Amino acid sequence: MVDLQGQYAEIKDQVTASMQGVIDTASFINGPEVQSFQKELEAYLGVKHVIPCANGTDALQIAMMGLGLKTGDEVITADFTFAATVEVIALLGLTPVLVDVDPINFNIDLAAVERAITPRTKAIVPVHLFGLSADMEPLMALAKKHNLFVIEDNAQGIGAECTFSDGSKQKTGTIGHVASTSFFPSKNLGCYGDGGAIFTNDDDLAHTLRGIVNHGMYERYHHDVVGVNSRLDSLQAAVLRAKLPRLDQYNAARRRAAAAYTRAFAQVPGITTPSGACGPEKGICAQCDCHVFHQYTLKIDGVDRDALVKHLAANNIPCGVYYPIPLHAQKAYKDERYNEADFTVTNTLVQCVISLPMHTELEDDQIDFITNTVIEFVKDQRHG
Ligand SMILES: *Cc1c(COP(=O)(O)O)cnc(C)c1O
């Protein structure tokens, strides 16, 4: 699904030299590499504060701790996403409220969010799923109206932009009150192990978060709040510093591959290609940067998905099903509050989505082979 070796070849000398530098100076934790990376990422995103931490799940948890959410507070998030989002809500003793998503762009459904708001609701967690910005403008307006925090889960969306109705653009992860991201190796900006970060424009919140990641300490051995130990290590920061200047180029390579896939699948009955967020036709958004294609995800109709997965595997084409089970139906998160009728979109998506290989090193002939293999199979199945 990803080709990290190809990407490494290009940055090998730089990464090796800076990793050696970290080892030579033995500044493994919170060394200059981490501080430089923090500043460089702040500049790239146009956000006031980046707080590096150990992984994207911690980043979400720490963001929620920093907002001072209390046991029983309700946090609304999407039913169709990776489990980390709902996991940390539950871990903190908050009440997860899962809601349905949009069938076209897979992101949280604003009407469903609005219906789920109660007097106990304190926050909304939109996830920029597969690299496409959630519809942040109306979401922020809704949050403001009900006095709710917005925590953006930007683990899949780093580098993506959200376009507002006045034509202005803002990077995802800089729009809500606070945001989290992950530097897991396969993410769009991945390191060579675990890593994550929290972003905010709020100075006070940033101060609180910097203490929480470090055992609740604001002054050495004075523990003012209950914190955690969550650090990005200097070796990972060295990798991220080599990759960050190339992130736009990496994301452009993903968009190019996505556009080639979409051209090939355009007129094939039974295949729906992924949508962009903006433009009247909600098409592929060639004209903007709203989608960074963490995943390229098709919806298929009238085709046995398991058989397609097997057929691709037999042709040495990796693929993925993100996600096969809605969160509200997972054993850990089942709850009698949920009503199946409220999840018609996720219940359908989990049965028809399939993600194709997507990375920065996809060649035209690979894309041709993948699209031809998918199209032949889909045509066969629908006619047979
Ligand atoms: C990857 C991911 C996370 C978790 O990140 P880790 O670094 O693996 O902890 C959280 N949310 C979403 C949407 C993700 O894709």
Side-chain angles (χ1 to χ4, degrees):
M1 289 293 279
V2 293
D3 175 2
L4 298 172
Q5 261 107 21
Q7 217 183 43
Y8 174 57
E10 210 187 299
I11 54 173
K12 186 172 179 181
D13 292 346
Q14 189 183 343
V15 167
T16 311
S18 47
M19 280 197 159
Q20 191 61 52
V22 171
I23 296 167
D24 289 343
T25 54
S27 56
F28 297 113
I29 300 290
N30 254 337
E33 292 288 339
V34 176
Q35 279 153 33
S36 301
F37 172 64
Q38 175 195 317
K39 293 275 171 270
E40 288 156 10
L41 187 56
E42 284 165 357
Y44 172 82
L45 292 169
V47 74
K48 274 174 94 175
H49 304 282
V50 165
I51 298 107
C53 67
N55 58 69
T57 309
D58 274 10
L60 271 170
Q61 176 179 332
I62 293 158
M64 288 179 204
M65 291 170 77
L67 293 173
L69 303 184
K70 303 254 170 2
T71 309
D73 285 352
E74 293 176 358
V75 179
I76 300 174
T77 194
D79 189 41
F80 187 65
T81 177
F82 182 58
T85 328
V86 64
E87 175 180 276
V88 300
I89 298 171
L91 266 177
L92 291 173
L94 311 171
T95 304
V97 178
L98 295 166
V99 300
D100 214 355
V101 298
D102 182 276
I104 310 289
N105 62 35
F106 308 138
N107 279 321
I108 199 162
D109 178 340
L110 285 189
V113 171
E114 190 153 24
R115 282 195 297 275
I117 293 172
T118 75
R120 289 177 304 280
T121 307
K122 289 286 148 52
I124 309 170
V125 187
V127 182
H128 304 301
L129 200 74
F130 302 152
L132 176 65
S133 176
D135 204 355
M136 291 305 288
E137 187 167 2
L139 191 141
M140 292 308 293
L142 183 65
K144 191 168 177 198
K145 182 171 149 203
H146 295 273
N147 200 19
L148 307 175
F149 293 119
V150 173
I151 305 160
E152 294 174 73
D153 182 344
N154 200 30
Q156 301 187 3
I158 197 154
E161 287 185 328
C162 179
T163 306
F164 292 83
S165 49
D166 65 359
S168 67
K169 289 169 189 273
Q170 231 174 305
K171 287 253 171 11
T172 56
T174 69
I175 304 160
H177 299 90
V178 61
S180 61
T181 201
S182 164
F183 304 123
F184 186 79
S186 64
K187 300 283 154 100
N188 289 34
L189 179 62
C191 58
Y192 295 166
D194 275 309
I198 310 151
F199 318 146
T200 185
N201 282 310
D202 180 329
D203 297 339
D204 293 337
L205 179 58
H207 174 76
T208 304
L209 294 169
R210 283 188 216 288
I212 292 175
V213 297
N214 188 26
H215 303 288
M217 275 197 291
Y218 297 91
E219 196 184 325
R220 209 165 170 76
Y221 301 122
H222 292 251
H223 302 272
D224 295 359
V225 295
V226 177
V228 294
N229 166 23
S230 188
R231 300 184 277 238
L232 178 70
D233 70 66
S234 305
L235 289 170
Q236 301 307 337
V239 175
L240 291 166
R241 285 193 74 199
K243 285 191 169 190
L244 179 59
R246 295 171 168 86
L247 178 58
D248 285 345
Q249 175 194 318
Y250 292 157
N251 284 338
R254 288 172 177 273
R255 268 198 292 276
R256 252 195 322 277
Y261 276 145
T262 291
R263 271 195 305 278
F265 294 131
Q267 306 301 333
V268 183
I271 298 181
T272 307
T273 55
S275 157
C278 49
E281 75 296 340
K282 297 213 171 197
I284 200 72
C285 286
Q287 75 282 12
C288 81
D289 297 340
C290 67
H291 207 321
V292 293
F293 290 99
H294 176 62
Q295 298 293 349
Y296 183 88
T297 303
L298 299 174
K299 288 186 285 190
I300 52 168
D301 178 40
V303 178
D304 178 343
R305 185 180 61 188
D306 291 345
L308 174 57
V309 169
K310 280 205 193 93
H311 180 72
L312 293 176
N315 285 280
N316 289 318
I317 298 171
C319 64
V321 172
Y322 310 112
Y323 296 90
I325 304 171
L327 290 178
H328 81 271
Q330 296 282 359
K331 269 191 204 159
Y333 304 109
K334 271 192 182 156
D335 196 302
E336 56 199 18
R337 289 176 290 130
Y338 295 134
N339 181 350
E340 284 308 313
D342 291 332
F343 298 102
T344 49
V345 178
T346 41
N347 285 342
T348 309
L349 289 178
V350 293
Q351 301 194 29
C352 71
V353 289
I354 182 165
S355 301
L356 299 181
M358 175 48 73
H359 53 81
T360 57
E361 317 298 311
L362 276 171
E363 308 280 354
D364 289 346
D365 56 339
Q366 293 176 309
I367 293 174
D368 287 346
F369 179 63
I370 294 165
T371 53
N372 288 334
T373 309
V374 171
I375 291 167
E376 274 167 30
F377 185 84
V378 167
K379 283 191 172 157
D380 264 15
Q381 279 239 326
R382 286 173 63 95
H383 294 142

